[in-house]
Amino acid sequence: MVTLIGRKFHISYSVSGATRLMHRLGFSPQVPTRRVAERDEQAVNTWREATWAEVKGPGRPAGATSASRTKRVSPDGRPGDRPGAGAASRRS
């Protein structure tokens, strides 16, 4: 866009300046559709139903795991929770 404006009108703009200018003039970015002209919708649907179901697999059940990276608490609790724990290290 900046190169085109420079070549056509012999004016130099930064990318952000050209974007603001185009917006003020009422233009918006145009995004092309990403569909292929030769796309076969029936083949795509067949692949989704048959092949993708095999590849995807059942997945994990919700709530079975945690996103936390911390370890579960041990059944005995922390070593410092017991009376006298760590006393040997404090005496020296």
Side-chain angles (χ1 to χ4, degrees):
M1 174 171 61
V2 173
T3 307
L4 177 66
I5 292 171
R7 287 181 184 165
K8 192 84 169 160
F9 302 104
H10 305 288
I11 299 173
S12 110
Y13 274 101
S14 65
V15 174
S16 62
T19 302
R20 284 190 295 248
L21 173 67
M22 299 299 285
H23 186 66
R24 274 185 299 205
L25 293 172
F27 293 97
S28 64
Q30 301 297 305
V31 180
T33 56
R34 304 289 265 175
R35 296 271 170 144
V36 181
E38 299 86 19
R39 181 175 167 133
D40 184 2
E41 288 296 329
Q42 185 178 3
V44 171
N45 289 332
T46 303
W47 182 88
R48 277 189 192 140
E49 292 169 2
T51 310
W52 178 241
E54 292 175 23
V55 173
K56 184 179 177 188
R60 291 190 276 182
T65 60
S66 172
S68 174
R69 292 183 178 212
T70 59
K71 294 181 181 179
R72 292 184 179 197
V73 69
S74 67
D76 298 333
R78 295 181 303 179
D81 289 344
R82 294 189 305 270
S89 62
R90 285 185 284 210
R91 290 185 192 143
S92 34

